């Protein structure tokens, strides 16, 4: 049975694994004449711990601007490399696990999530304490999930050293 995915979600976090997953998601979108949603989730819990729940508006604006710049550069590269134009970028605030697994796919009717194997750039300690985002999404999403463990050449995606 061949799947015909029309709305593909790829969450990115700045990691090599996420960018490799994006390249694969872009090819799936191209091969299915589908739409590609590229999502970056700014974790609200991380700022609550660091700033006692008080985050200055300038900090939020800078985060959104930096993230938008990163996503625009990423999308320009994907459009060139994969030859697709039907791409949207999204920035959300919240818990990456629930935004990626439940909220965004529901709001945008995603029928496939392509996610990097190590998820959202967490440190090893964070993954032990909180669990990986990719594992959570794989277990809980209501649509198909592809966990990308390799790059376009099917070579293992190697996580950056933290």
């Amino acid at each position: 049975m061949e799947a015909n995915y029309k709305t593909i979600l790829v969450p990115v976090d700045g990691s090599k694994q996420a960018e490799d997953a994006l390249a694969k998601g872009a090819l799936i979108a191209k091969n299915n004449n589908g739409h590609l949603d590229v999502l970056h989730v700014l974790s609200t819990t991380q700022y609550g711990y660091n700033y006692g729940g008080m985050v200055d508006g300038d900090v939020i604006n800078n985060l959104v601007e930096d993230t938008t710049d990163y996503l625009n550069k990423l999308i320009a590269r994907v459009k060139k490399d994969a030859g697709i134009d039907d791409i949207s970028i999204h920035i959300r605030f919240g818990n990456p696990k629930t935004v990626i697994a439940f909220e965004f796919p529901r709001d945008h009717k995603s029928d496939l999530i392509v996610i990097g194997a190590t998820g959202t750039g967490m440190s090893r300690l964070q993954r032990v304490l909180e669990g990986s985002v990719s594992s959570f999404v794989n277990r809980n999403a209501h649509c198909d999930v592809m966990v990308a463990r390799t790059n376009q050449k099917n070579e293992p995606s190697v996580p950056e050293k933290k």
Side-chain angles (χ1 to χ4, degrees):
M1 179 173 94
E2 186 175 319
N4 190 14
Y5 299 111
K6 291 297 181 191
T7 308
I8 297 99
L9 165 61
V10 182
V12 295
D13 61 3
S15 71
K16 174 80 169 97
Q17 298 81 13
E19 291 182 13
D20 286 344
L22 178 58
K24 288 192 171 200
L27 284 179
I28 293 168
K30 181 179 181 178
N31 292 338
N32 287 281
N33 293 317
H35 174 75
L36 185 64
D37 286 310
V38 180
L39 170 68
H40 184 88
V41 180
L42 295 169
S43 175
T44 53
T45 57
Q46 130 184 9
Y47 303 112
Y49 293 126
N50 293 338
Y51 299 103
M54 304 291 276
V55 181
D56 182 79
D58 289 337
V59 172
I60 298 295
N61 286 335
N62 289 339
L63 282 169
V64 171
E65 286 176 13
D66 291 347
T67 302
T68 301
D69 289 343
Y70 164 70
L71 292 174
N72 284 330
K73 289 175 185 170
L74 194 59
I75 293 313
R77 188 173 63 212
V78 168
K79 285 181 176 184
K80 179 182 166 223
D81 293 347
I84 63 170
D85 288 317
D86 194 3
I87 304 175
S88 299
I89 60 171
H90 307 270
I91 300 171
R92 292 246 181 135
F93 288 90
N95 179 323
K97 291 178 181 180
T98 58
V99 170
I100 296 166
F102 305 123
E103 296 166 18
F104 190 92
R106 179 194 62 228
D107 295 346
H108 293 269
K109 300 189 180 3
S110 305
D111 48 22
L112 175 66
I113 300 170
V114 181
I115 190 167
T118 59
T120 67
M122 296 170 128
S123 69
R124 287 185 191 132
L125 178 61
Q126 284 175 308
R127 275 196 300 276
V128 168
L129 295 175
E130 301 175 30
S132 87
V133 173
S134 57
S135 293
F136 182 88
V137 170
N138 193 38
R139 284 191 318 271
N140 294 288
H142 297 292
C143 63
D144 287 347
V145 176
M146 176 182 152
V147 179
R149 299 181 187 283
T150 59
N151 63 19
Q152 286 294 86
K153 297 176 184 172
N154 287 328
E155 300 164 339
S157 287
V158 180
E160 297 93 8
K161 302 287 184 207
K162 291 229 175 202

